[in-house]
């Protein structure tokens, strides 16, 4: 449980420091922390003063991602932020160096939601509700965290995350079968077909390679099954009365863009479209996304 420090500010529980996974993509602005959950230890990253900042934004990564997808995004956020805001992200079960149960049945949607609630409590959200941000599959999880524990959430942002499950495409089914046969290292070869599977000079590319090898196949299969069949919860979200933002790139083609607009209409919000961004605006257009987030948080 979080507490109040001697100055009256919220103090989150102390989290054990651990090394970051792979190269430090945060330019020294973040440090690794251990988050002890029911499934084992999840790995997180926090910026300076996260325990005492007035506002904390927490990012949940997508399908084949991890907290590292946000570390290169943190410096820009810190540079444009008002005082009193810090940032955190965590890798979900099976991602990168987080705990990875061996059986696919341990990767049900309820498991990811339970992990997220435990992580938020360790970030001190019971005393200082957080601005929660979910990217792609992370948004599927974030919606349900907000519904289950709305008192932990100050606002909710969904980035390129569909309200309804995806219809499986033939190429996606073939990709899953290939992963079953060849293992998760195939993720690197698929993303960087012209590069050898060996140490890379570019830090993000090297992180991606290391993550491909470290990711749990059971986790990939479990999330893949979730993405094919999960219910719409937009009515329950709307009933919460939380500030909600929907953002996506104008070149995003993972979910149909009309579905993003459909959910925004159901939630009575105006979607924010990031020009020149695909499915991962934090990588494609980080400055535009950081400005959009800051505006939303300031209004909230």
């Amino acid at each position: 449980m979080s507490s109040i420090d001697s100055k009256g500010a919220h103090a989150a529980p102390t989290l054990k420091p651990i090394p970051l996974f792979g190269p430090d993509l945060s330019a020294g602005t973040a440090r690794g922390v251990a988050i002890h959950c029911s499934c084992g230890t999840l790995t997180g990253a926090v910026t300076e003063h996260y325990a005492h900042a007035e506002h904390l934004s927490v990012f949940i990564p997508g399908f084949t991602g991890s907290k590292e997808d946000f570390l290169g995004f943190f410096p820009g956020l810190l540079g444009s932020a008002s005082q009193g805001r810090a940032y955190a992200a965590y890798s979900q079960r099976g991602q990168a160096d987080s705990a990875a149960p061996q059986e696919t049945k341990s990767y049900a949607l309820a498991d990811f939601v339970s992990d997220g609630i435990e992580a938020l409590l360790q970030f001190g959200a019971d005393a200082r509700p957080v601005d929660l941000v979910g990217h792609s599959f992370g948004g599927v999880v974030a919606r349900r965290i907000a519904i289950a524990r709305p008192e932990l959430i100050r606002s909710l942002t969904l980035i390129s995350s569909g309200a309804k499950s995806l219809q499986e495409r033939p190429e996606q089914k073939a990709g899953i079968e290939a992963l079953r046969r060849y293992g998760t290292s195939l993720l690197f070869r698929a993303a960087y077909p012209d590069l050898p599977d060996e140490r890379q000079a570019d830090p993000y590319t090297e992180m991606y390679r290391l993550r491909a090898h470290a990711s749990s196949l059971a986790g990939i299969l479990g999330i893949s099954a979730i993405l094919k069949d999960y219910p719409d919860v937009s009515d329950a979200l709307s009933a919460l009365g939380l500030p909600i933002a929907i953002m996506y790139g104008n070149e995003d083609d993972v979910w149909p863009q009309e579905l993003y607009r459909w959910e925004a209409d159901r939630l009575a919000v105006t979607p924010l479209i990031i020009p020149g961004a695909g499915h991962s605006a934090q990588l494609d257009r980080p400055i535009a996304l950081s400005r959009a987030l800051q505006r939303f948080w300031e209004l909230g």
Side-chain angles (χ1 to χ4, degrees):
M1 303 290 287
S2 58
S3 61
I4 305 296
D5 67 15
S6 60
K7 297 180 181 180
H10 298 302
T14 300
L15 297 174
K16 178 183 176 182
I18 58 173
L20 291 171
F21 176 79
D24 181 0
L25 304 174
S26 76
T29 62
R31 60 183 176 87
V33 292
I35 302 168
H36 299 296
C37 293
S38 301
C39 68
T41 300
L42 303 182
T43 61
V46 295
T47 60
E48 190 176 7
H49 306 310
Y50 94 94
H52 302 277
E54 180 181 3
H55 298 298
L56 179 69
S57 302
V58 178
F59 293 77
I60 307 179
F63 181 16
T64 59
S66 64
K67 66 184 183 297
E68 284 68 32
D69 286 330
F70 302 106
L71 297 191
F73 186 52
F74 283 173
L77 282 172
L78 288 164
S80 62
S82 59
Q83 289 187 335
R85 182 173 292 279
Y87 304 93
Y90 71 92
S91 295
Q92 302 193 77
R93 61 171 66 194
Q95 295 181 333
D97 53 347
S98 273
Q102 294 185 357
E103 297 183 342
T104 304
K105 67 180 182 180
S106 297
Y107 294 89
L109 184 51
D111 296 319
F112 290 100
V113 173
S114 177
D115 291 345
I117 291 170
E118 290 186 79
L120 293 190
L121 289 172
Q122 292 187 55
F123 286 137
D126 52 336
R128 170 196 53 182
V130 304
D131 293 298
L132 188 61
V133 182
H135 172 240
S136 192
F137 172 67
V140 176
V141 176
R143 287 177 180 86
R144 287 151 180 82
I145 292 174
I147 291 168
R149 297 294 302 272
E151 75 279 8
L152 303 180
I153 312 300
R154 179 176 177 267
S155 73
L156 175 65
T157 301
L158 305 169
I159 301 176
S160 291
S161 180
K164 299 180 181 180
S165 53
L166 287 165
Q167 183 175 1
E168 188 176 44
R169 303 170 187 168
E171 62 270 23
Q172 291 170 328
K173 184 175 181 180
I176 291 298
E177 291 306 314
L179 285 168
R180 288 180 186 273
R181 182 172 181 179
Y182 297 108
T184 60
S185 63
L186 186 65
L187 293 170
F188 176 74
R189 295 199 292 274
Y192 299 95
D194 298 328
L195 295 179
D197 189 355
E198 58 188 41
R199 186 180 179 89
Q200 300 294 316
D202 176 71
Y204 184 83
T205 308
E206 173 61 4
M207 182 283 298
Y208 200 108
R209 187 184 72 86
L210 294 172
R211 184 172 68 193
H213 284 272
S215 294
S216 162
L217 177 58
I220 295 292
L221 297 177
I223 297 175
S224 178
I226 292 168
L227 289 173
K228 290 186 291 185
D229 185 21
Y230 63 86
D232 165 42
V233 293
S234 55
D235 287 344
L237 271 185
S238 181
L240 296 178
L242 282 172
I244 299 176
I246 292 178
M247 304 181 185
Y248 57 94
N250 71 322
E251 299 175 7
D252 182 6
D253 63 355
V254 174
W255 276 273
Q257 294 203 359
E258 56 265 29
L259 180 58
Y260 300 144
R261 295 189 291 271
W262 176 88
E263 183 180 27
D265 184 64
R266 292 291 293 273
L267 299 177
V269 302
T270 301
L272 194 145
I273 304 171
I274 309 296
H279 189 59
S280 299
Q282 74 275 18
L283 302 176
D284 300 335
R285 293 295 306 279
I287 295 175
L289 180 61
S290 66
R291 289 174 177 169
L293 287 169
Q294 295 292 355
R295 285 194 296 269
F296 172 62
W297 292 328
E298 288 168 6
L299 290 173

